[in-house]
Amino acid sequence: VQVGVVLGISLTWLGLDLAGAVWSLVLVAVLSALLGMALGLFASAFARTEFQAVQFMPAFVLPQALLCGLIMPRDQMASWLEAVSDVLPLTYAVDAMQRVSREPDVGGDLVRDIVIIAVCAVLALLLAAATLRRRTP
């Protein structure tokens, strides 16, 4: 529902120019939301309290937000920062959104980004499930 509201407002009231298909933008946005939820569950699996889980979030979110290419183009970063951003899943979500907005066709790079986002989301969910503390009666 959130993805629908945000995309509806962006495409109508805010006048977002979209070269690609709307379905591909919806797919990338939904996968990005699932990835965020999965990473949140993974981080919270290590916390003992809700307060501790909230404290973990900047450690997961801040590096990705700074290195994903939103603030500064990745090719203008130092080589070691660009290498770090290559392993962060938000980098591929931002790249996919940028591709959908400027390229009319679904190309191999967009498909690669979508697959990486989906695999990272599934991997984060699996790791979160594996790290949960078990309680047996």
Side-chain angles (χ1 to χ4, degrees), residues 2-3 24-40 64 89-98 110 113-114 116-121:
Q2 263 183 326
V3 168
S24 58
L25 184 63
V26 170
L27 177 64
V28 171
V30 167
L31 285 175
S32 298
L34 289 174
L35 175 64
M37 181 219 35
L39 288 174
Q64 292 196 59
L90 187 59
T91 299
Y92 298 97
V94 169
D95 190 45
M97 292 277 189
Q98 290 173 343
L110 179 60
D113 291 341
I114 289 171
I116 289 172
I117 296 166
V119 167
C120 287

Side-chain angles (χ1 to χ4, degrees), residues 16-77:
L16 176 69
D17 291 328
L18 187 64
V22 173
W23 68 265
S24 58
L25 184 63
V26 170
L27 177 64
V28 171
V30 167
L31 285 175
S32 298
L34 289 174
L35 175 64
M37 181 219 35
L39 288 174
L41 288 173
F42 177 60
S44 68
F46 294 104
R48 294 184 192 270
T49 65
E50 292 86 5
F51 180 70
Q52 203 174 38
V54 170
Q55 289 178 322
F56 283 154
M57 293 321 308
F60 276 81
V61 174
L62 191 60
Q64 292 196 59
L66 293 174
L67 298 176
C68 70
L70 282 176
I71 297 172
M72 171 188 268
R74 292 178 56 234
D75 57 355
Q76 294 180 5
M77 293 180 186

Side-chain angles (χ1 to χ4, degrees), residues 99 103-114:
R99 286 184 195 285
E103 296 175 7
D105 298 326
V106 176
D109 289 336
L110 179 60
V111 171
R112 179 205 65 202
D113 291 341
I114 289 171

